Amino acid sequence: MVLKGKIIKVAGPLVVAEGMKGSAMYEVVRVGEDKLLGENIGLNGDQASIQVYEDTSGIKPGENVFGTGSPLSVLLGPGLLTNIYDGVQRPLPEIFNIAGEFIKRGLDVPALDKNKKWDFVPSVKKGEKVKAGDIIGTVDETKVVKHRILIPPNVNGLLKEINGGKFTINEPIGIVEQDKKDVEIYLAHSWPVRMARPYITKIEPNEPMFTGQRVLDTFFPVTKGGTAAIPGGFGTGKTVTQHQLARWSDADIIVYIGCGERGNEMTEVLRDFPKLIDPKSGEPLMQRTVLIANTSNMPVAAREASVYTGITIAEYYRDMGYNVALMADSTSRWAEALREISGRMEEMPGEEGYPAYLASRIAGFYERAGRVTTLCGKEGTISVIGAVSPPGGDFSEPVTQNTLRITKVFWALDSSLADRRHFPAINWLRSYSLYSENLSKWFNNNIAEDFTDNRKNAMKLLQQESELQEIVQLVGPDALPERERVVLETARIIREDFLQQNAYHDIDTYCDIKKQYRMLKIILKFHKYALDAVNRGIKIRKITEMPILDEIARMKYIPLEEFDKRADEIVNEIDLVSKEIE
């Protein structure tokens, strides 16, 4: 570190220092006697505005500022999975061991264990030409994930030396000759968080990412490499929905960012995730998960860093050829941090006090998602799902609107549904997925030929129900024709027995896509027979009293291994009932 200047002003997380000539924008600096971690976010002459990622209590004018000469970066290598970090990639378990329950200011803890030896198995030989992003070997990071060791993105040349065996992240595993200079290769390397990692080309996403949530997978699917937003007011279930996605999505790697959320919610995540079992492997879910915890009582500036830390880690695993799902909860807290720092810098405010560059920052974050051909020629994806917390559930506020402009899936949480204890409280009439048409071919080819038609028919029934509800509220359901009462009954079944899902039920918490298809097909089959019955003069009351409705309602609680057999029996019962009605 080099002495740069002295503090002349302290305003919360913003520190202004003079004598900073020669400093670079976004350079990491150490502030004050405690050497607090900070970053240059504004330069004016020899003065620098620094956002400090730690509590600035006690810092005073006249204290020194030290430059590091490098941007805010994360260390990428084996040991990321199973770990829990704060917003600037300090491992919280290590901090707890060193400092106890509270994070000590100025604490500098390595992001990865520098003493642990990893068993490296090379996949290239001495004398081969290697380029940026090439895979040169593997490490068994966990029982579930093979960590593919990459040539850093700025290294190209002839591999002069490569060694297998046990190494720490500080011991070289090989040497590359680049521009007649020897460059040592390690198991880990650093990368600036604000710079997107390079790739060869971006590809249109064309495969769904399954979440096990019926309302999402069937009605509003997201792709591997897609972007989705979950806006909703307080108590509508954003965090539980994010937890469900992190637990059950079929991505290879999960990165969960708790950005400015309440401490008790993050405590629940940190307590529950290590206990969860991965349904794909039978191993703990943490073996393919990275958690980044930045609660609302932590320094506000670190919220901004946390989303960039998370997306950079996600890009690293994408570059290995993995499918990564990133959950950001919530981007509104990140935007609030931008607003606070911007206000302290006395920048011209935009709408509702947010900085004028809010839209470009949000777009820049979500644009780092996608399906790409990586530098090593593999295909990797990052799916970004961001929760938004609009004040009072107002979707017209700037963060929600700017998020919806860039994301292609909108899962609208509805407080009225939450009040009725309908969860997930996703409003099926306000939500949409711009991937639905692109994915129709995939669903029809891989699940069933009539999958898309069933989804459209079910959505049509829900829309008809919404239109009929106005009449029902005026004159009551008994005034409706029998056919329209059948629509109301089927729509009720879709709402209560298909869309409603219990996150805390052992079986209903996750629903396989093929089970979802069979469930919806059975409901639509019942609708067809009910319509035929009323056309022959049978009263809707007789149909709604049938025991088969109870069987349909209990379908979601049937274990997957028993479902196909039970579904066939329900279909046969519907056929028998229709003959009895005749």
Side-chain angles (χ1 to χ4, degrees):
M1 290 189 294
V2 180
L3 179 63
K4 287 283 189 178
K6 293 188 180 295
I7 297 171
I8 58 172
K9 176 184 175 182
V10 181
L14 182 73
V15 169
V16 179
E18 64 179 3
M20 299 291 287
K21 192 170 183 180
S23 291
M25 190 68 169
Y26 295 125
E27 178 186 350
V28 170
V29 295
R30 291 288 181 171
V31 178
E33 295 175 2
D34 291 331
K35 293 186 171 56
L36 307 184
L37 184 68
E39 182 184 29
N40 291 336
I41 57 170
L43 298 173
N44 184 14
D46 73 338
Q47 291 188 359
S49 296
I50 303 163
Q51 66 175 357
V52 181
Y53 294 122
E54 303 181 64
D55 182 18
T56 55
S57 300
I59 296 292
K60 55 186 179 293
E63 293 190 33
N64 293 328
V65 175
F66 300 87
T68 64
S70 60
L72 184 66
S73 303
V74 289
L75 187 59
L76 304 169
L80 288 169
L81 296 179
T82 74
N83 225 324
I84 302 167
Y85 294 107
D86 71 355
V88 288
Q89 210 200 8
R90 293 183 299 185
L92 294 178
E94 286 298 314
I95 290 175
F96 180 80
N97 292 336
I98 295 170
E101 295 183 7
F102 298 96
I103 300 175
K104 185 180 176 182
R105 295 195 312 166
L107 200 60
D108 190 8
V109 182
L112 300 175
D113 189 340
K114 294 189 175 182
N115 297 316
K116 183 173 181 177
K117 286 189 175 287
W118 300 93
D119 192 5
F120 172 65
V121 179
S123 58
V124 292
K125 294 180 181 178
K126 179 181 175 180
E128 290 185 22
K129 282 191 175 182
V130 293
K131 63 182 188 302
D134 278 353
I135 297 171
I136 58 171
T138 59
V139 162
D140 288 333
E141 185 172 6
T142 67
K143 292 180 181 178
V144 178
V145 177
K146 271 196 180 297
H147 192 107
R148 296 161 184 162
I149 304 301
L150 306 174
I151 293 287
N154 55 354
V155 176
N156 296 277
L158 185 71
L159 192 63
K160 289 180 65 177
E161 187 179 323
I162 187 74
N163 301 302
K166 292 186 178 294
F167 297 91
T168 66
I169 60 170
N170 287 334
E171 296 172 337
I173 58 172
I175 297 174
V176 172
E177 183 181 352
Q178 176 174 284
D179 299 330
K180 298 183 180 180
K181 293 181 180 178
D182 288 349
V183 178
E184 292 183 331
I185 303 298
Y186 298 84
L187 293 177
H189 65 270
S190 294
W191 186 260
V193 297
R194 295 183 186 276
M195 184 187 298
R197 287 176 64 90
Y199 51 83
I200 294 175
T201 185
K202 209 165 208 177
I203 314 167
E204 185 71 22
N206 64 355
E207 183 180 340
M209 183 182 79
F210 293 120
T211 66
Q213 312 306 301
R214 290 184 291 269
V215 65
L216 307 184
D217 292 347
T218 298
F219 285 90
F220 310 109
V222 65
T223 59
K224 289 177 179 174
T227 54
I230 316 178
F234 175 76
T236 52
K238 294 184 299 296
T239 300
V240 173
T241 303
Q242 288 273 41
H243 291 185
Q244 287 294 95
L245 296 173
R247 291 175 185 180
W248 301 112
S249 61
D250 65 343
D252 302 314
I253 307 293
I254 304 295
V255 179
Y256 186 93
I257 307 170
C259 177
E261 283 305 291
R262 293 180 291 277
N264 60 334
E265 289 185 353
M266 279 311 302
T267 301
E268 183 182 344
V269 173
L270 301 182
R271 186 182 64 239
D272 290 352
F273 264 61
K275 299 176 185 176
L276 294 174
I277 300 300
D278 183 359
K280 294 199 295 186
S281 64
E283 298 291 335
L285 184 63
M286 280 298 292
Q287 294 203 2
R288 60 184 182 95
T289 302
V290 181
L291 293 179
I292 297 172
N294 188 258
T295 58
S296 54
N297 63 330
M298 287 181 172
V300 67
R303 290 186 204 170
E304 196 218 2
S306 64
V307 296
Y308 292 113
T309 297
I311 196 72
T312 305
I313 291 172
E315 286 176 334
Y316 177 57
Y317 282 98
R318 175 208 67 191
D319 290 348
M320 298 180 200
Y322 287 119
N323 296 312
V324 185
L326 182 143
M327 319 297 167
D329 185 16
S330 115
T331 55
S332 291
R333 308 287 175 250
W334 167 47
E336 287 168 9
L338 288 176
R339 179 167 62 181
E340 180 172 338
I341 297 293
S342 174
R344 292 185 186 278
M345 290 183 69
E346 300 177 2
E347 295 175 334
M348 183 69 72
E351 191 178 357
E352 292 191 19
Y354 288 104
Y357 47 79
L358 174 68
S360 62
R361 289 287 178 90
I362 291 175
F365 169 64
Y366 281 102
E367 283 292 345
R368 290 172 73 169
R371 175 183 171 214
V372 305
T373 302
T374 65
L375 296 179
C376 66
K378 288 182 175 290
E379 193 176 286
T381 66
I382 300 176
S383 308
V384 175
I385 298 161
V388 187
S389 308
D394 177 17
F395 289 178
S396 65
E397 61 89 39
V399 180
T400 305
Q401 286 300 306
N402 285 305
T403 301
L404 295 185
R405 287 191 189 106
I406 194 69
T407 57
K408 291 193 173 183
V409 179
F410 174 41
W411 294 326
L413 291 168
D414 192 326
S415 57
S416 65
L417 287 174
D419 292 341
R420 301 203 303 263
R421 316 310 296 166
H422 177 112
F423 292 106
I426 292 170
N427 187 310
W428 48 88
L429 299 177
R430 297 182 69 183
S431 302
Y432 61 80
S433 171
L434 299 181
Y435 298 118
S436 293
E437 289 302 317
N438 290 346
L439 291 175
S440 293
K441 185 177 179 181
W442 191 96
F443 279 114
N444 292 343
N445 290 339
N446 293 276
I447 306 300
E449 291 182 358
D450 58 347
F451 185 95
T452 302
D453 290 338
N454 288 348
R455 176 174 62 203
K456 289 179 179 177
N457 290 335
M459 182 57 72
K460 186 177 179 181
L461 288 169
L462 291 169
Q463 289 168 343
Q464 288 175 341
E465 181 203 32
S466 177
E467 294 165 4
L468 291 172
Q469 283 298 339
E470 293 183 15
I471 301 172
V472 170
Q473 289 171 6
L474 287 173
V475 297
D478 293 339
L480 292 175
E482 293 290 301
R483 286 182 63 86
E484 292 181 347
R485 292 178 66 185
V486 171
V487 170
L488 290 180
E489 180 61 21
T490 308
R492 181 197 63 79
I493 294 171
I494 294 173
R495 285 189 289 103
E496 296 180 3
D497 303 332
F498 187 83
L499 297 180
Q500 202 166 340
Q501 193 166 350
N502 188 346
Y504 299 101
H505 190 278
D506 290 342
I507 296 169
D508 196 35
T509 184
Y510 172 84
C511 190
D512 182 79
I513 186 63
K514 291 185 177 178
K515 180 179 177 181
Q516 295 180 35
Y517 164 73
R518 290 293 304 274
M519 287 176 65
L520 194 59
K521 189 173 179 67
I522 286 170
I523 292 170
L524 294 175
K525 184 181 181 71
F526 169 81
H527 176 71
K528 178 178 179 297
Y529 281 128
L531 280 179
D532 290 343
V534 298
N535 286 340
R536 293 194 301 272
I538 307 298
K539 295 294 184 184
I540 185 66
R541 184 173 297 173
K542 184 175 180 182
I543 297 171
T544 57
E545 291 173 354
M546 293 177 185
I548 191 63
L549 286 178
D550 293 332
E551 295 291 329
I552 292 173
R554 287 195 291 267
M555 281 192 301
K556 57 185 175 183
Y557 302 120
I558 300 172
L560 184 59
E561 57 273 14
E562 301 173 15
F563 182 77
D564 282 340
K565 179 183 175 184
R566 190 70 196 102
D568 291 337
E569 292 173 356
I570 292 171
V571 170
N572 292 334
E573 288 178 40
I574 293 175
D575 290 335
L576 288 173
V577 166
S578 67
K579 290 176 183 177
E580 288 174 8
I581 291 175
E582 291 177 7

